[in-house]
């Protein structure tokens, strides 16, 4: 197993952008060149020459220099953990040991591309409702803060009592205009305290557990996490990584501490000689279908193939669920937006409707 605890020799600027945009083509290209018969050093030199991202170009130069000095590729990669995570490094190390370097890199590219594609779909599905909610809040705030007082002022000249809804909205408008700094301060403090709480072990665990139990989106988060576990685990086993090491590495790549704890507890039982399916059974949020399919794979000796099938199944379910959520959220958000804006507009015009009565009286 590669030493992924190596201290980085320098901070990489733009590491997040590199991992998001450049890591998949880098992995796929170097796999293709290795399959064509080029050495790792020659492949790195070629990619360094054509790399347009100057930050990543600097990383490739350092990788090439370390290979020239005799370091294994996986050891050199471990010096840049913000770009090449533990899973990436250990799969490369497994490829070096097994002699299937090019094949392992090709599998890595598929994993990274699949994860990026799924993340884009989730982000795309959540962008629309987020934008609509923000627009509703902005429009409602503008109407209450700036437009409503003008209408109410015209009616107030007659000395009549405001309708109940209008009075409530006017009180809310006064509060927002007079205490906006308090609202802003409380909002900023709330975000700060939430992040501070979430960074604690107990807060992180509680929040990740809530993500898995929340209505509708909890199922989505669970399916995404389980699908990622199965796909990564299958590829690591297929690359020759021992099952215990693979479980430990994959657990840290799930992005959810609750699922991570379940996998790590199961790993301890595997170390004691239990089967994978038996070790995962009874752990929080482990689906029964997955356990039964893994048990069948263990009996047939094709666990990695079965895990890949599970991952494909969950990915399809996630895509179906995302499409369903999007189709259901659109009309719901339209109704919500119409109700919020409509209530404010009615509150604005109720005094005008009452104006004839007041003047006539």
């Amino acid at each position: 197993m590669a030493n992924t605890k190596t201290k980085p020799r320098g901070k990489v600027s733009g590491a997040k952008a590199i991992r998001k945009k450049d890591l998949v083509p880098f992995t796929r290209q170097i796999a293709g060149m290795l399959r064509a018969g080029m050495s790792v050093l020659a492949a790195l030199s070629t990619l360094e020459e054509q790399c347009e991202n100057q930050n990543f170009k600097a990383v490739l130069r350092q990788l090439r220099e370390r290979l020239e000095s005799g370091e294994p590729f996986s050891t050199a990669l471990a010096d840049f953990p913000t770009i090449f995570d533990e899973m990436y490094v250990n799969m490369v190390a497994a490829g070096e040991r097994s002699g299937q370097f090019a094949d392992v890199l090709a599998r890595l590219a598929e994993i990274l591309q699949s994860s990026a594609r799924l993340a884009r779909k989730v982000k795309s599905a959540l962008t629309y409702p987020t934008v609509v909610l923000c627009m509703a809040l902005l429009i409602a705030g503008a109407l209450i803060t700036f437009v409503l007082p003008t209408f109410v002022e015209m009616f107030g000249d007659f000395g009549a009592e405001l309708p109940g809804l209008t009075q409530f909205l006017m009180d809310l408008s006064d509060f927002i205009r007079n205490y906006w700094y308090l609202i802003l301060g409380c909002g900023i403090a709330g975000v700060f305290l939430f992040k501070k709480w979430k960074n604690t072990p107990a807060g992180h665990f509680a929040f990740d557990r809530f993500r898995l139990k929340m209505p509708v989106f909890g199922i989505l988060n669970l399916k995404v996490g389980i699908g990622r576990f199965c796909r990564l685990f299958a590829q690591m086993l297929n690359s020759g990584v021992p099952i215990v090491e693979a479980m430990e590495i994959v657990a840290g790549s799930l992005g959810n501490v609750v699922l991570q704890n379940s996998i790590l507890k199961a790993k301890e039982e595997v170390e004691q000689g239990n089967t994978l399916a038996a070790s995962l059974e009874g752990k929080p949020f482990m689906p029964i279908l997955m356990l039964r399919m893994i048990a069948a794979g263990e009996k047939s000796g094709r666990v990695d193939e079965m895990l890949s099938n599970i991952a494909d199944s969950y990915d399809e379910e996630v895509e179906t669920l995302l499409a369903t959520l999007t189709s259901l959220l659109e009309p719901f958000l339209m109704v919500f937006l119409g109700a919020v804006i409509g209530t404010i507009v009615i509150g604005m015009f109720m005094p005008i409707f009452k104006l004839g009565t007041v003047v006539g009286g």
Side-chain angles (χ1 to χ4, degrees), residues 269-322:
E269 296 184 19
V270 171
E271 289 178 317
Q272 296 171 3
N274 290 345
T275 63
L276 177 61
S279 300
L280 289 170
E281 192 164 1
K283 302 300 182 295
F285 298 101
M286 292 294 109
I288 296 297
L289 175 61
M290 180 190 74
L291 298 177
R292 298 295 176 262
M293 291 182 71
I294 290 176
E298 288 179 314
K299 290 180 181 179
S300 63
R302 298 184 298 176
V303 177
D304 54 345
E305 182 180 337
M306 192 62 70
L307 286 168
S308 295
N309 292 337
I310 298 170
D312 292 338
S313 175
Y314 273 100
D315 285 351
E316 290 178 4
E317 289 184 27
V318 167
E319 292 183 10
T320 302
L321 184 57
L322 285 174

Side-chain angles (χ1 to χ4, degrees), residues 139-280:
I139 294 173
L143 289 174
I144 291 174
T145 306
F146 302 107
V147 181
L148 179 63
T150 303
F151 278 75
V152 172
E153 184 178 352
M154 292 188 300
F155 186 78
D157 293 337
F158 294 91
E161 182 180 353
L162 292 173
L165 176 61
T166 307
Q167 186 62 56
F168 168 76
L169 293 174
M170 195 61 200
D171 292 340
L172 181 60
S173 175
D174 291 339
F175 180 79
I176 294 174
R177 286 184 298 167
N178 294 330
Y179 299 101
W180 63 267
Y181 56 89
L182 184 62
I183 298 173
L184 181 62
C186 289
I188 295 174
V191 172
F192 173 78
L193 291 174
F194 172 76
K195 288 185 176 181
K196 188 175 181 179
W197 169 77
K198 185 175 174 293
N199 288 333
T200 63
H204 194 181
F205 184 89
F207 181 71
D208 279 355
R209 185 176 180 83
F210 169 74
R211 286 172 55 201
L212 295 174
K213 294 180 73 69
M214 63 190 301
V216 183
F217 290 101
I219 299 175
L220 178 63
N221 288 325
L222 179 61
K223 290 182 181 295
V224 170
I226 295 298
R228 179 175 176 80
F229 162 71
C230 292
R231 189 168 302 284
L232 296 181
F233 196 30
Q235 295 295 347
M236 297 203 77
L237 292 179
N238 202 22
S239 301
V241 180
I243 185 171
V244 173
E245 293 181 7
M247 291 182 74
E248 183 174 0
I249 295 166
V250 171
S253 304
L254 296 181
N256 187 293
V257 70
V258 178
L259 295 178
Q260 178 182 342
N261 287 351
S262 294
I263 303 302
L264 292 178
K265 289 178 181 177
K267 184 206 74 168
E268 295 175 357
E269 296 184 19
V270 171
E271 289 178 317
Q272 296 171 3
N274 290 345
T275 63
L276 177 61
S279 300
L280 289 170

Side-chain angles (χ1 to χ4, degrees), residues 17-213:
I18 291 172
R19 184 167 178 82
K20 183 177 180 180
K21 297 182 180 180
D22 298 312
L23 193 56
V24 172
F26 162 76
T27 308
R28 194 176 297 282
Q29 288 165 2
I30 199 170
M33 285 186 276
L34 290 176
R35 283 175 169 172
M38 295 178 65
S39 66
V40 181
L41 185 58
L44 276 176
S45 299
T46 302
L47 293 176
E48 179 189 348
E49 291 176 0
Q50 69 179 26
C51 184
E52 297 180 357
N53 186 319
Q54 295 304 311
N55 293 325
F56 195 34
K57 189 181 186 74
V59 171
L60 295 179
R61 181 176 64 253
Q62 293 182 60
L63 289 174
R64 174 179 54 79
E65 292 172 351
R66 292 172 194 184
L67 260 65
E68 290 173 342
S69 67
E71 285 189 31
F73 189 42
S74 57
T75 303
L77 292 174
D79 284 343
F80 303 94
T82 53
I83 300 175
F84 309 102
D85 60 15
E86 189 177 5
M87 179 206 68
Y88 195 105
V89 173
N90 281 281
M91 283 191 67
V92 170
E96 290 174 330
R97 291 196 303 265
S98 65
Q100 300 177 353
F101 198 12
D103 292 337
V104 169
L105 285 172
R107 293 190 198 109
L108 264 174
E110 292 175 3
I111 291 173
L112 295 171
Q113 189 169 25
S114 176
S115 297
R117 181 170 57 248
L118 185 59
R120 284 195 301 269
K121 289 181 179 179
V122 173
K123 184 178 179 180
S124 176
L126 296 180
T127 297
Y128 176 75
T130 302
V131 171
V132 171
L133 287 175
C134 290
M135 289 298 297
L137 291 175
L138 287 174
I139 294 173
L143 289 174
I144 291 174
T145 306
F146 302 107
V147 181
L148 179 63
T150 303
F151 278 75
V152 172
E153 184 178 352
M154 292 188 300
F155 186 78
D157 293 337
F158 294 91
E161 182 180 353
L162 292 173
L165 176 61
T166 307
Q167 186 62 56
F168 168 76
L169 293 174
M170 195 61 200
D171 292 340
L172 181 60
S173 175
D174 291 339
F175 180 79
I176 294 174
R177 286 184 298 167
N178 294 330
Y179 299 101
W180 63 267
Y181 56 89
L182 184 62
I183 298 173
L184 181 62
C186 289
I188 295 174
V191 172
F192 173 78
L193 291 174
F194 172 76
K195 288 185 176 181
K196 188 175 181 179
W197 169 77
K198 185 175 174 293
N199 288 333
T200 63
H204 194 181
F205 184 89
F207 181 71
D208 279 355
R209 185 176 180 83
F210 169 74
R211 286 172 55 201
L212 295 174
K213 294 180 73 69

